[in-house]
């Protein structure tokens, strides 16, 4: 250790610093160690020491110099050395690749300019780096600069942007205080607030689940509004009651309200219907649906209302009403993406009944909605219909197209199984079938990305690993996150690196979330388009010993249990849901207590559900009992697990079902229908990754990395 008497801390010797990435030199490793010490001193508010060590780190001219300069800039600002702040941030701006601190550094330097009574410098700086500073911080700083330079109308405009556009942000309170002062100074010259801004503020409060605050905002705004804006605000007073669970008040108010603007009136009717449903006044719904059809036939509020009421009728097993509403939706709003759901319900009903037009409806659905989430469903059932006709060649073509376009879906799993059928396997696709499938405007097949880091991604990863080696794990992850959000390429590489970081510290659940967040289209990739490591991070099996032990004891497939856990908790053993479900398999305390009693596990406490081994033991026993009660029909057992046995028991009577895929399509709850498919899809992936000594997936052949080089960002506005 090399110790400093001046500040009373010790710097690790070079030999004590963990080995840096292969192409990093000793100066980089030394700089990383110095940055770690500087960061600790900054957090301890030992600003002089932080400046000393950050300056030493910067002198090494390492690849992570911007980190030392950011620490130094913060420390210099704290001791009011504003000129030094400017010098440090300039070096950050010149960093290649683009530093994660550009926006923060520009904001800090702007505050330094304001504190140093140089608002024009601050104004120039924030204009130059405006896009890199997050909102609403940048608008508040810009307003402060305008105010300090005497441009009060511009200051008022930007303070209003903050106050009305970001009502729940901490900057909104500062903007409100500043607006009082600016309005007093400007008097009659104060720029009026646009009606759209008032409505935007209320809408943002709605989105933040602050309906009561939104109602107050609307009530204050209405006297200042006119025309369509006033009508909309009056309607949304009732919406505020509905969202605050004052449903009876909302129904009474909105039912009696008269407004002139057509869209405001359509929204009013939509919420009247929602309120009536909540109050179980289904008889009240039809007149309002008729009003919507008569007065606002093409309003998207009518489409939303039709889907809402049709879905409820489907839940009530009122087939006639549901189909009528779905048909009205599909006929009127056929070009809207959401109308695809309506058309699918009409189409699947025809398929299930073996209606004479089922074949044509399935083909028409694929032509009209090839990008729909239900396109893979339609392809599968078209294949099954062709099989029933004895047209195995057409069936094979459907299944092959399905597995090619939608490789990681439940219906792709079923399609692969059908392709193994002796009749389908022996068939040869005919030109007519190929022509039909080629004529569909399928979603563009993505260019599956390379997982070999290009120079830009590699530079990010090298920087992050240096920070990791210095113990700065949070900063290391922030570096990779910044690259994933801002570099504009190879998001999959950043997702993989972030997942590795999380898994290395034992947070397999966070690894899954990183892949979902930074590579959101990962499930469109066939398994041979990414390294096995990527898939195993996306589909891990923590607690594998417990899962396998208790699954086998209960006669369950351990891969189904792993798949269920991934969907329920992402393997976070300590998670508690908003519904008070606990742990890996999301068991309610009352359920856990009853299961523990049956298994004679001794005294039960809710905390036991947060112990992975105990949760899996209880959860597998619970799922085993469900599966037995449904004669081993896993789709119904999963429906029961997600939505409760009462509902599942009702839905299973809605048959007969020729196969369990038809039962899934009959499930009226969107969440449960998706849940069953996801768990069974997950189980298939787990089986392919883990069932043998080696993964049962095609070999991955790495693609060449892109040739993009790190560039300094050119700032312009």
């Amino acid at each position: 250790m090399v110790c400093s008497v001046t500040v009373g801390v010790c710097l690790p010797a070079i030999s004590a610093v963990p080995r840096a990435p292969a192409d990093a030199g000793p100066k980089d490793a030394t700089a990383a160690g110095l940055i770690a010490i500087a960061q600790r001193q900054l957090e301890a508010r030992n600003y002089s020491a932080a400046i000393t060590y950050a300056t030493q780190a910067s002198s090494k001219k390492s690849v992570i110099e911007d980190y030392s300069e950011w620490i130094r800039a913060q420390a210099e600002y704290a001791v009011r050395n504003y000129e030094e702040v400017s010098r440090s941030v300039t070096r950050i701006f010149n960093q290649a690749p683009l530093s994660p601190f550009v926006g923060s550094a520009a904001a800090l330097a702007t505050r330094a300019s304001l504190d140093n009574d140089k608002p024009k410098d601050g104004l120039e700086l924030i204009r130059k780096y405006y896009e890199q500073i997050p909102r609403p911080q940048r608008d508040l700083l810009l307003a402060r600069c305008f105010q300090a330079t005497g441009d009060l109308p511009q200051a008022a405009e930007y303070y209003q942007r903050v106050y009305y556009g970001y009502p729940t942000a901490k900057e909104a309170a500062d903007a409100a205080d500043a607006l009082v002062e600016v309005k007093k100074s400007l008097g009659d010259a104060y720029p009026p607030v646009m009606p759209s801004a008032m409505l935007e503020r209320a809408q943002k409060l709605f989105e933040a689940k602050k309906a009561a605050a939104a109602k107050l905002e609307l009530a204050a705004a209405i006297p200042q509004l006119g025309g369509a804006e006033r009508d909309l605000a009056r309607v949304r007073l009732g919406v505020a009651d509905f969202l605050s669970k004052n449903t009876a008040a909302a129904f009474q108010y909105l039912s009696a309200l008269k407004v002139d603007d057509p869209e405001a009136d359509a929204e009013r009717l939509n919420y009247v219907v929602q309120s009536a449903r909540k109050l179980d006044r289904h008889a009240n719904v039809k007149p309002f649906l008729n009003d919507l059809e008569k007065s606002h036939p093409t309003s998207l509020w009518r489409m939303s209302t039709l889907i809402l009421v049709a879905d409820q009728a489907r839940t009530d097993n009122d087939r006639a009403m549901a189909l009528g509403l779905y048909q009205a939706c599909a006929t009127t709003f056929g070009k809207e993406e959401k109308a695809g759901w309506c058309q699918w319900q009409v189409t699947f009903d025809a398929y299930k009944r073996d209606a004479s037009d089922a074949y044509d409806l399935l083909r028409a659905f694929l032509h009209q909605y090839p990008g729909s989430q239900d396109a893979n469903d339609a392809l599968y059932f078209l294949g099954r219909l062709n099989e029933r006709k004895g047209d195995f060649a057409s069936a094979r073509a459907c299944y092959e197209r399905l597995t090619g376009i939608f490789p990681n879906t439940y219906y792709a799993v079923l399609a692969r199984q059908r392709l193994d059928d002796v009749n389908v396997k022996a068939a040869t696709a005919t030109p007519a079938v190929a022509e039909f499938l080629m004529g569909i405007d399928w979603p563009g097949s993505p260019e599956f990305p390379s997982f070999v880091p290009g120079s830009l991604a590699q530079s990010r990863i090298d920087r992050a690993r240096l920070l990791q080696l210095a113990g700065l794990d949070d900063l290391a992850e922030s570096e990779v996150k910044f690259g994933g959000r801002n570099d504009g390429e190879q998001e999959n590489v950043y997702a993989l690196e972030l997942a590795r970081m999380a898994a290395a510290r034992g947070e397999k659940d966070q690894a899954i979330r990183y892949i979902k967040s930074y590579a959101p289209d990962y499930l469109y990739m066939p398994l041979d388009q990414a390294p096995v490591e990527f898939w195993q991070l996306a589909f891990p099996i923590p607690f594998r010993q417990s899962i396998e032990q208790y699954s086998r004891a209960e006669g369950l497939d351990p891969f189904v249990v792993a798949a269920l856990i991934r969907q329920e908790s992402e393997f976070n053993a300590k998670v508690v849901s908003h519904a008070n479900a606990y742990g890996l398999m999301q068991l309610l305390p009352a359920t856990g207590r009853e299961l523990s009693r049956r298994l004679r596990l001794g005294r039960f406490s809710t905390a036991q559900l947060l112990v992975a081994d105990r949760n899996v033991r209880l959860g597998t026993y619970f799922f085993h009992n469900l599966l037995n009660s449904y004669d081993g029909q896993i789709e119904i057992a999963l429906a029961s697990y997600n939505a409760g046995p009462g509902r599942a028991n009702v839905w299973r009577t809605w048959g007969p079902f020729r196969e369990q895929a038809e039962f899934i399509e009959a499930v009226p709850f969107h969440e449960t229908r998706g849940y069953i498919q996801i768990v069974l899809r997950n189980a298939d992936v787990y089986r392919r990754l883990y069932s043998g000594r080696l993964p049962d997936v095609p070999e991955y052949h790495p693609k060449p990395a892109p040739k993009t080089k790190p560039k300094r960002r050119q700032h312009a506005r």
Side-chain angles (χ1 to χ4, degrees), residues 421-687:
D421 176 82
V422 62
N423 293 318
V424 175
K425 186 181 290 188
T428 301
T430 61
V433 178
E435 183 179 351
F436 162 69
L437 293 173
M438 290 296 292
I440 294 174
D441 185 20
W442 301 106
S445 296
E447 181 79 24
F448 296 120
S450 170
F451 278 83
V452 178
S455 56
L456 177 56
Q458 191 61 59
S459 66
R460 290 271 181 223
I461 292 169
D462 287 346
R463 280 159 54 86
R465 289 179 181 174
L466 270 173
L467 294 164
Q468 273 188 298
L469 291 167
L472 298 170
D473 291 351
D474 289 346
L475 292 178
E477 288 197 28
S478 295
E479 174 73 30
V480 182
K481 289 177 183 177
F482 181 83
R485 290 192 299 264
N486 295 278
D487 288 349
E489 64 179 42
Q490 291 205 287
E491 290 86 352
N492 58 303
V493 169
Y494 295 119
L496 177 56
E497 186 68 14
L498 285 165
R500 284 169 174 157
M501 290 177 171
R505 62 173 183 267
E507 296 180 6
K508 300 292 182 68
D509 57 317
Q510 183 60 66
I512 295 172
R513 288 193 292 275
Y514 276 147
I515 288 175
K516 288 180 178 179
S517 177
Y518 287 85
D521 295 331
Y522 74 106
L523 288 171
Y524 286 97
M525 288 192 296
L527 295 190
D528 64 350
Q529 292 295 317
V532 168
E533 179 194 15
F534 176 86
W535 295 113
Q536 290 180 336
L537 286 167
F539 293 87
I541 310 187
F543 319 109
R544 185 170 183 175
Q545 182 177 347
S546 295
I547 290 170
E548 291 186 341
Q549 175 187 345
Y550 297 124
S551 295
R552 290 183 177 126
E554 298 297 343
L556 301 174
D557 181 342
F559 300 119
V560 170
V561 174
L564 185 150
I565 293 173
R566 185 184 188 269
Q567 185 62 16
E568 288 287 345
S569 65
E570 295 179 333
F571 295 97
N572 181 350
K574 303 298 183 184
V575 70
V576 180
S577 76
H578 63 85
N580 203 38
Y582 280 65
L584 293 176
M585 298 185 72
Q586 289 290 277
L587 301 173
L588 294 170
T591 303
R593 182 175 293 104
E594 173 62 18
L595 296 172
S596 187
R597 183 188 65 78
R598 289 189 199 174
L599 287 168
R600 300 180 180 178
L601 296 179
R603 187 178 179 83
F604 172 81
S605 69
T606 299
Q608 291 175 10
L609 296 177
L610 301 178
V611 177
D613 186 82
R614 179 56 56 90
N615 190 286
V616 173
R617 185 174 185 186
L618 295 172
T620 51
Y621 177 69
F622 178 65
F623 190 62
H624 161 85
N625 288 338
L626 277 181
L627 202 56
N628 278 355
S629 68
Y630 298 116
D631 300 321
Q633 297 178 88
I634 192 168
E635 293 83 0
I636 304 177
L638 288 169
S640 181
Y641 200 96
N642 180 258
R647 294 187 179 101
N649 290 336
V650 170
W651 299 336
R652 68 189 298 208
T653 67
W654 293 358
F657 305 112
R658 285 166 293 211
E659 58 181 302
Q660 285 303 296
E662 293 188 9
F663 166 77
I664 293 174
E665 289 301 323
V667 170
F669 287 7
H670 292 276
E671 178 190 333
T672 304
R673 176 175 174 259
Y675 176 89
I676 301 167
Q677 295 185 44
I678 290 168
V679 171
L680 294 176
R681 184 276 316 282
N682 288 353
D684 178 72
V685 176
Y686 274 114
R687 211 170 282 119

Side-chain angles (χ1 to χ4, degrees), residues 80-145:
R80 301 182 183 182
N81 288 338
Y82 300 130
E83 299 302 327
E84 292 300 321
V85 172
S86 179
R87 291 188 182 92
S88 283
V89 299
T90 299
R91 296 188 183 103
I92 293 171
F93 297 151
N94 292 330
Q95 173 73 38
L98 181 70
S99 172
F101 302 118
V102 167
S104 300
L108 182 69
T110 301
R111 289 197 297 272
S113 296
L114 288 166
D115 293 351
N116 202 24
D117 200 24
K118 293 184 177 180
K120 289 184 179 179
D121 290 350
L123 190 58
E124 181 181 351
L125 190 66
I126 199 168
R127 280 174 163 166
K128 187 174 183 180
Y129 295 100
Y130 182 80
E131 295 299 332
Q132 279 70 53
I133 303 172
R135 282 180 169 163
Q137 183 185 26
R138 67 191 187 195
D139 288 333
L140 184 66
L141 283 171
L142 191 53
R144 288 182 60 197
C145 288

Side-chain angles (χ1 to χ4, degrees), residues 327-366:
Q327 186 66 68
C329 167
T331 301
T332 307
F333 302 98
K335 294 182 180 180
E336 297 292 332
E337 184 178 343
K338 287 185 177 179
W341 168 248
C342 299
Q343 186 60 56
W344 173 241
Q345 290 305 307
V346 173
T347 300
F348 180 73
D349 181 80
Y351 170 85
K352 188 169 177 289
R353 291 185 292 106
D354 265 335
S356 59
D357 60 348
Y359 180 76
D360 291 336
L361 283 171
L362 285 164
R363 288 166 62 99
F365 180 85
L366 289 169

Side-chain angles (χ1 to χ4, degrees), residues 32-48:
L34 288 163
I35 289 169
I37 294 174
Q39 178 68 23
R40 287 198 293 270
Q41 295 305 311
L42 180 67
E43 291 168 356
R45 300 187 180 183
N46 296 328
Y47 299 121
S48 177

Side-chain angles (χ1 to χ4, degrees), residues 315-330:
T315 300
D316 296 338
N317 200 27
D318 187 341
R319 175 180 165 275
M321 182 176 183
L323 279 177
L325 295 170
Y326 285 132
Q327 186 66 68
C329 167

